[in-house]
Amino acid sequence: MFNKEIKQMGAFQFSVPSGHMNFQLGHLNIIIVTDGIGYYDKNCFAPGIARGEVNQLLDDHYIESEYFELAHNILVIQTGDRTVLIDAGNGDGSEKSVGRLPENLLRAGISLQSVTDIVLTHAHPDHINGLINKENTLVFPRADVHLSKTEYNFWMSAAPDFSKSKNTIESCLFVQQQAKDCFTILGNQLKLFNEAEPLFDFLTPVLAPGHTPGHCMFAVSANDEMFIHMADIVHDEIILFSNPHWGTIFDIDFELAATTRKDILDQFARSRQRVFSYHLPWPGFGYVQKVGNTYKWVQERYLTPQFRKSI
């Protein structure tokens, strides 16, 4: 999959003030929509690593914020009568800087009623809470919501194993309850998939466990064009590329997540695979480069159309 030949995608059409941008991938219309920027306590990342070492690495990259500032990039795929979202964002009960998906979808010309499918990479709050509003009703009333069976079974378990996480048990149980409540409200609109089988003719899950047990990346393909949505393999372009083993407190199985992260980054670097990320800087497209024993995020280069010389 990672060695498949890739063709350059068509030129992007910019609409940054309205929170979206779009392009064509073969017959697919792809729209990137922002759910906003989340501000995370620095202690959520590299648990157990001396803060001085972490802060020095950030300082070396001219990062002075007291928080980790993470994008929340939502991929929308349109083909025929199907409109598919990958993940649903933070929801309207979160901080004001996130939960912007519904309004930005509307600005992109996509009504909430027109969304036919939502595919979840995993069941963490910043990916599923956007499915349900403050009134505990469905934000996307006509959409089937697709989740891996492995992920569903873990969060619905009577006693999920959180012993390999570096988060507190109280936080883990709180996240579990949010997932269970969401699944209950979704009812029959929740559809479980087998990670070994394609969801649609343009979307194939790639199981990448550790962050959560059923955490999935997705290959998006049309004809001979393809990219990989790498979900939460990494959360930032500095810490986890330089030190994949540092991890986050959000990893359910910390050591497995670190191993998966390094293996996937290594595959992407070797194959020069074009990838899309939920949390890396807008609009989330780029490549992974290996530098010695570490990795580097190479943000895809975009030229502002109005300043491009006519040819």
Side-chain angles (χ1 to χ4, degrees), residues 149-179:
K149 292 178 182 177
T150 302
E151 188 77 353
Y152 177 83
N153 290 338
F154 176 79
W155 293 109
M156 292 300 289
S157 168
D161 182 8
F162 296 124
S163 66
K164 298 176 183 177
S165 172
K166 296 200 175 184
N167 208 346
T168 65
I169 187 64
E170 292 80 12
S171 293
C172 291
L173 290 172
F174 179 74
V175 170
Q176 182 195 18
Q177 190 59 54
Q178 286 186 304

Side-chain angles (χ1 to χ4, degrees), residues 1 28 48 59 69 74 88 105 107-108 119 122 124-125 137 145 152 161 163 174 183 194 229 233 237 239 255-256 296:
M1 177 180 296
L28 303 177
D59 186 65
E69 301 174 357
I74 308 291
L105 283 172
R107 290 193 179 105
V119 178
H122 61 298
H124 274 161
T137 59
V145 178
Y152 177 83
D161 182 8
S163 66
F174 179 74
F183 299 161
N194 183 332
H229 186 316
I233 289 295
E237 73 278 22
I239 296 293
E255 297 301 331
L256 178 59
K296 179 182 178 181

Side-chain angles (χ1 to χ4, degrees), residues 88-254:
N90 292 265
D92 59 8
S94 51
E95 58 187 281
K96 292 182 180 179
S97 62
V98 291
R100 304 295 183 85
L101 177 62
E103 63 191 81
N104 285 329
L105 283 172
L106 293 175
R107 290 193 179 105
I110 302 170
S111 71
L112 305 184
Q113 292 77 17
S114 71
V115 175
T116 59
D117 301 271
I118 301 170
V119 178
L120 301 176
T121 59
H122 61 298
H124 274 161
D126 58 324
H127 297 256
I128 70 169
N129 280 1
L131 295 168
I132 311 297
N133 61 27
K134 291 179 180 178
E135 289 72 40
N136 286 329
T137 59
L138 301 179
V139 174
F140 304 95
R142 299 180 180 176
D144 286 337
V145 178
H146 307 266
L147 179 70
S148 84
K149 292 178 182 177
T150 302
E151 188 77 353
Y152 177 83
N153 290 338
F154 176 79
W155 293 109
M156 292 300 289
S157 168
D161 182 8
F162 296 124
S163 66
K164 298 176 183 177
S165 172
K166 296 200 175 184
N167 208 346
T168 65
I169 187 64
E170 292 80 12
S171 293
C172 291
L173 290 172
F174 179 74
V175 170
Q176 182 195 18
Q177 190 59 54
Q178 286 186 304
K180 292 175 75 172
D181 291 345
C182 178
F183 299 161
T184 299
I185 295 171
L186 286 170
N188 292 333
Q189 287 181 239
L190 181 63
K191 313 294 183 182
L192 304 182
F193 64 81
N194 183 332
E195 302 92 341
E197 299 175 357
L199 275 174
F200 313 109
D201 60 359
F202 55 83
L203 197 64
T204 303
V206 181
L207 184 63
H211 184 57
T212 65
H215 175 258
C216 285
M217 304 187 299
F218 289 90
V220 183
S221 60
N223 302 327
D224 56 353
E225 299 180 72
M226 183 185 73
F227 65 88
I228 303 289
H229 186 316
M230 66 173 170
D232 278 15
I233 289 295
V234 289
H235 290 73
D236 83 300
E237 73 278 22
I238 298 172
I239 296 293
L240 296 181
F241 277 87
S242 301
N243 300 276
H245 59 287
W246 279 8
T248 82
I249 65 170
F250 308 117
D251 298 328
I252 297 298
D253 186 328
F254 188 87

